[in-house]
Amino acid sequence: MITCAPTGAETAKADAPGLPVTVEELVRAGREVEAAGAAMIHVHVRDDDAQPTLDLGRVTEALDGLRAETTLVIQVSTGGSVHDSFADRLRVLDAEPDSCSVSCGTLNFGDDVFANPWSFMVELYQETQAREIVPEFELFDLGHVASLHRLLDTCGEPYGGQVHCDLVTGVPGGMPGTPAAVLAAVAALPVGATWSATGVGRSTLPVALTALAAGGHLRVGMEDVLTLSRGVPVDSNRQLVERAAALARLAQRPPMTPDAARALLRTRSATSPDSRSATSPDSRTAAGEGSA
Ligand code: KMH
Ligand code: ZN
């Protein structure tokens, strides 16, 4: 499963002209990355000045556009930017996404702090359960894996029953984007969890290759990386997804379709009972095997 994170909250449009910041650009990016092999999109939106926002109207507009023009699994960011309030971060769930991010701990985030205190984690997670939204647990550090276990022990299983994680490596303040860090985190995940990995900046390729080798899924996109190689800027998210899809095919783990991703994650819209049972923990040999 390839997830594309096309925008993020940290990069200025002026520094990356291909960054999708309007709804029109985001939807076009969604169409392009779906054609290139992405199954899920991790959505951050921007305001009319291209600044990050969690404005519910803008989020809803973006999700409506993506639903109309793509079949991607839609995951909304509840992380927002480091400056967003907890209330605003919770409110995006009103846009009724298939999935949302649930970050599993606070960390230094460059020169800032990305705050995810325990009480907020619990409130956000319980909202996902009540609203039938599949959480993707964002794990930036090994301690976040421990907090994920605590969250599941305290609050029970996620909507749909599949624990799905994203290892976000290479953030200054989080775990490094190295094979060793990815494998240490994977070894500590709950039994049966599925996972993707992303490496910020130059760690993008080693982390993607590690994930493919270790049975994980991939997240790529301009939220996480802005160069294809040293000094070569990314022009569009399509380039990153095309490269990820090529790596996945080389690894003989071809990209998963959005429908297959819905079945894997057991989103509300995964309607086929057959596809549910085909991906139940009992029928898998190991979480994360098969298609990327
Ligand atoms: N922008 C970061 C502070 C998420 O989307 O949930 C948080 C982030 C994680 O990107
Ligand atoms: Zn994000």
Side-chain angles (χ1 to χ4, degrees):
M1 177 172 68
I2 298 175
T3 298
C4 183
T7 308
E10 282 72 38
T11 299
K13 178 77 169 172
D15 295 333
L19 194 76
V21 295
T22 66
V23 169
E24 190 186 1
E25 287 171 345
L26 182 65
V27 172
R28 189 185 321 134
R31 281 199 309 262
E32 289 179 3
V33 300
E34 180 174 3
M40 179 152 72
I41 187 164
H42 168 84
V43 178
H44 289 253
V45 299
R46 302 291 179 101
D47 65 16
D48 290 342
D49 298 320
Q51 297 304 307
T53 180
L54 293 176
D55 175 75
L56 183 60
R58 184 56 58 96
V59 174
T60 303
E61 197 188 340
L63 268 52
D64 286 348
L66 287 165
R67 283 193 196 103
E69 304 226 9
T70 78
T71 67
L72 293 164
V73 179
I74 298 176
Q75 177 183 92
V76 76
S77 166
T78 64
S81 88
V82 292
H83 308 294
D84 287 316
S85 70
F86 297 134
D88 287 348
R89 290 171 57 187
L90 284 166
R91 195 173 302 113
V92 297
L93 301 187
D94 288 347
E96 300 183 357
D98 301 307
S99 171
C100 71
S101 53
V102 173
S103 293
C104 288
T106 295
L107 76 155
N108 285 327
F109 202 89
D111 296 343
D112 298 300
V113 173
F114 179 34
N116 295 286
W118 172 249
S119 56
F120 176 67
M121 282 173 56
V122 168
E123 188 176 1
L124 173 57
Y125 182 51
Q126 289 179 333
E127 283 294 327
T128 66
Q129 290 171 312
R131 295 167 183 250
E132 303 188 345
I133 295 169
V134 171
E136 178 183 89
F137 301 103
E138 308 298 325
L139 308 171
F140 294 80
D141 213 342
L142 205 48
H144 294 187
V145 186
S147 293
L148 167 62
H149 282 276
R150 182 183 175 201
L151 191 64
L152 297 173
D153 289 347
T154 306
C155 301
E157 66 176 18
Y159 170 71
Q162 178 61 46
V163 174
H164 181 69
C165 307
D166 180 41
L167 310 178
V168 189
T169 69
V171 171
M175 63 182 149
T178 60
V182 170
L183 295 176
V186 169
L189 291 178
V191 172
T194 50
W195 57 278
S196 61
T198 189
V200 169
R202 73 179 69 166
S203 66
T204 187
L205 281 171
V207 167
L209 292 167
T210 303
L212 285 169
H217 301 275
L218 304 179
R219 171 175 131 171
V220 296
M222 293 178 78
E223 174 166 346
D224 302 327
V225 61
L226 294 167
T227 55
L228 289 170
S229 58
R230 188 188 294 266
V232 181
V234 173
D235 291 330
S236 75
N237 283 282
R238 179 179 47 77
Q239 291 175 307
L240 293 170
V241 173
E242 281 175 348
R243 182 168 72 174
L247 293 176
R249 288 194 189 95
L250 200 59
Q252 302 191 4
R253 299 188 54 213
M256 195 175 259
T257 64
D259 274 351
R262 281 192 171 77
L264 174 80
L265 299 171
R266 301 185 219 172
T267 64
R268 220 174 16 230
S269 46
T271 47
S272 157
D274 291 340
S275 63
R276 274 198 173 213
S277 62
T279 57
S280 71
D282 292 345
S283 64
R284 277 198 305 265
T285 50
E289 283 188 356
S291 299

